[in-house]
Amino acid sequence: NFVNGDAIKVVNLMRTSKSEATYTTTDGTNWFTADAFVWNGGTGKNQFQAWYPATASYHSFTLPTDQNSIEELSAADWMTASTSAMVKPADGVLHLGFQHRLAKVTVQITEFASQFDEWAHLMAATIYSLSDEYVTVNGGIKPVLGGNAATAIVCPGKYAAGTNLMEIIVSDDRGEINLNVPVNAFLTDTGLEA
């Protein structure tokens, strides 16, 4: 759901001026703009593209590597929407159905090996994302940590066998240990979907 402060960019592809606006919501439902955005009226056609976050674009996104808070995780959730050519509806309301372009991954450690004592916990993690022609990734992602889980938004696709999904630091009473978590068969065979 959209929340207070979220902003989307909307572009009318069939206008050459006053064709784009940034809309912000305070409640996740109602959207406001200060931009001079204009529809083509009467029987004039309008065709829209929109995206979140407003700082991205419809065709490309640089995936933020700092996702270690709920707000930063939300800002990494690239979504796009588009319409076919249409005349302005009588109520003047544009309805957009956004599609997620990325994948949300949560890695939950359910059990520690016997080399750790009972106070073992996840201290830090770095999750590695794929990239593609639309998504640029500049390094490992610092995920949101909660309990013994790490959550990040990454690029969809199949990982190469023999690579690592993430690195973690596990701490117990005796100190810290760095561990690599290799990708599993699901990530290499099926992969992640948006």
mmCIF file of all heavy atoms in Angstrom, residues 39-46 86-90:
data_model
loop_
_atom_site.group_PDB
_atom_site.id
_atom_site.type_symbol
_atom_site.label_atom_id
_atom_site.label_comp_id
_atom_site.label_asym_id
_atom_site.label_seq_id
_atom_site.Cartn_x
_atom_site.Cartn_y
_atom_site.Cartn_z
ATOM 1 N N TRP A 39 -4.897 17.482 -19.177
ATOM 2 C CA TRP A 39 -5.417 16.449 -20.075
ATOM 3 C C TRP A 39 -5.645 17.057 -21.449
ATOM 4 O O TRP A 39 -5.905 18.248 -21.585
ATOM 5 C CB TRP A 39 -6.773 15.951 -19.592
ATOM 6 C CG TRP A 39 -6.831 15.114 -18.369
ATOM 7 C CD1 TRP A 39 -6.766 15.553 -17.072
ATOM 8 C CD2 TRP A 39 -7.027 13.706 -18.308
ATOM 9 N NE1 TRP A 39 -6.911 14.491 -16.218
ATOM 10 C CE2 TRP A 39 -7.074 13.345 -16.945
ATOM 11 C CE3 TRP A 39 -7.166 12.712 -19.274
ATOM 12 C CZ2 TRP A 39 -7.258 12.040 -16.527
ATOM 13 C CZ3 TRP A 39 -7.349 11.405 -18.852
ATOM 14 C CH2 TRP A 39 -7.386 11.071 -17.496
ATOM 15 N N ASN A 40 -5.632 16.245 -22.500
ATOM 16 C CA ASN A 40 -6.189 16.641 -23.792
ATOM 17 C C ASN A 40 -7.688 16.454 -23.659
ATOM 18 O O ASN A 40 -8.158 15.344 -23.413
ATOM 19 C CB ASN A 40 -5.629 15.769 -24.920
ATOM 20 C CG ASN A 40 -4.179 16.084 -25.202
ATOM 21 O OD1 ASN A 40 -3.777 17.239 -25.183
ATOM 22 N ND2 ASN A 40 -3.384 15.062 -25.451
ATOM 23 N N GLY A 41 -8.456 17.523 -23.791
ATOM 24 C CA GLY A 41 -9.890 17.462 -23.530
ATOM 25 C C GLY A 41 -10.703 17.021 -24.733
ATOM 26 O O GLY A 41 -10.163 16.700 -25.794
ATOM 27 N N GLY A 42 -12.012 17.007 -24.559
ATOM 28 C CA GLY A 42 -12.941 16.619 -25.623
ATOM 29 C C GLY A 42 -12.667 15.215 -26.108
ATOM 30 O O GLY A 42 -12.611 14.273 -25.333
ATOM 31 N N THR A 43 -12.501 15.070 -27.433
ATOM 32 C CA THR A 43 -12.206 13.757 -28.005
ATOM 33 C C THR A 43 -10.700 13.523 -28.146
ATOM 34 O O THR A 43 -10.285 12.519 -28.716
ATOM 35 C CB THR A 43 -12.873 13.608 -29.388
ATOM 36 O OG1 THR A 43 -12.371 14.630 -30.253
ATOM 37 C CG2 THR A 43 -14.388 13.690 -29.267
ATOM 38 N N GLY A 44 -9.888 14.475 -27.639
ATOM 39 C CA GLY A 44 -8.435 14.329 -27.695
ATOM 40 C C GLY A 44 -7.976 13.112 -26.905
ATOM 41 O O GLY A 44 -8.501 12.800 -25.840
ATOM 42 N N LYS A 45 -6.990 12.423 -27.424
ATOM 43 C CA LYS A 45 -6.500 11.199 -26.781
ATOM 44 C C LYS A 45 -5.418 11.532 -25.753
ATOM 45 O O LYS A 45 -4.653 12.487 -25.896
ATOM 46 C CB LYS A 45 -5.927 10.241 -27.818
ATOM 47 C CG LYS A 45 -6.965 9.720 -28.802
ATOM 48 C CD LYS A 45 -7.917 8.774 -28.131
ATOM 49 C CE LYS A 45 -8.871 8.158 -29.151
ATOM 50 N NZ LYS A 45 -9.773 7.197 -28.579
ATOM 51 N N ASN A 46 -5.373 10.694 -24.728
ATOM 52 C CA ASN A 46 -4.364 10.764 -23.678
ATOM 53 C C ASN A 46 -3.832 9.361 -23.459
ATOM 54 O O ASN A 46 -4.600 8.387 -23.477
ATOM 55 C CB ASN A 46 -4.984 11.262 -22.363
ATOM 56 C CG ASN A 46 -5.606 12.619 -22.495
ATOM 57 O OD1 ASN A 46 -4.958 13.630 -22.319
ATOM 58 N ND2 ASN A 46 -6.904 12.661 -22.841
ATOM 59 N N MET A 86 -6.733 7.007 -24.535
ATOM 60 C CA MET A 86 -8.081 7.171 -23.986
ATOM 61 C C MET A 86 -8.473 8.641 -24.009
ATOM 62 O O MET A 86 -7.610 9.527 -24.008
ATOM 63 C CB MET A 86 -8.124 6.649 -22.547
ATOM 64 C CG MET A 86 -7.120 7.349 -21.632
ATOM 65 S SD MET A 86 -6.969 6.585 -20.016
ATOM 66 C CE MET A 86 -8.002 7.670 -19.072
ATOM 67 N N VAL A 87 -9.775 8.891 -24.044
ATOM 68 C CA VAL A 87 -10.257 10.263 -23.878
ATOM 69 C C VAL A 87 -10.413 10.516 -22.383
ATOM 70 O O VAL A 87 -10.520 9.579 -21.584
ATOM 71 C CB VAL A 87 -11.593 10.508 -24.620
ATOM 72 C CG1 VAL A 87 -11.420 10.347 -26.119
ATOM 73 C CG2 VAL A 87 -12.685 9.605 -24.090
ATOM 74 N N LYS A 88 -10.424 11.786 -22.021
ATOM 75 C CA LYS A 88 -10.566 12.149 -20.605
ATOM 76 C C LYS A 88 -11.920 11.665 -20.095
ATOM 77 O O LYS A 88 -12.959 11.971 -20.689
ATOM 78 C CB LYS A 88 -10.457 13.665 -20.445
ATOM 79 C CG LYS A 88 -10.561 14.128 -19.001
ATOM 80 C CD LYS A 88 -10.426 15.641 -18.906
ATOM 81 C CE LYS A 88 -10.561 16.096 -17.467
ATOM 82 N NZ LYS A 88 -10.450 17.573 -17.352
ATOM 83 N N PRO A 89 -11.929 10.873 -19.003
ATOM 84 C CA PRO A 89 -13.223 10.418 -18.472
ATOM 85 C C PRO A 89 -14.036 11.584 -17.909
ATOM 86 O O PRO A 89 -13.478 12.627 -17.554
ATOM 87 C CB PRO A 89 -12.824 9.431 -17.366
ATOM 88 C CG PRO A 89 -11.386 9.646 -17.103
ATOM 89 C CD PRO A 89 -10.791 10.371 -18.257
ATOM 90 N N ALA A 90 -15.331 11.394 -17.854
ATOM 91 C CA ALA A 90 -16.230 12.457 -17.397
ATOM 92 C C ALA A 90 -15.878 12.933 -15.992
ATOM 93 O O ALA A 90 -16.003 14.124 -15.685
ATOM 94 C CB ALA A 90 -17.678 11.966 -17.444
#
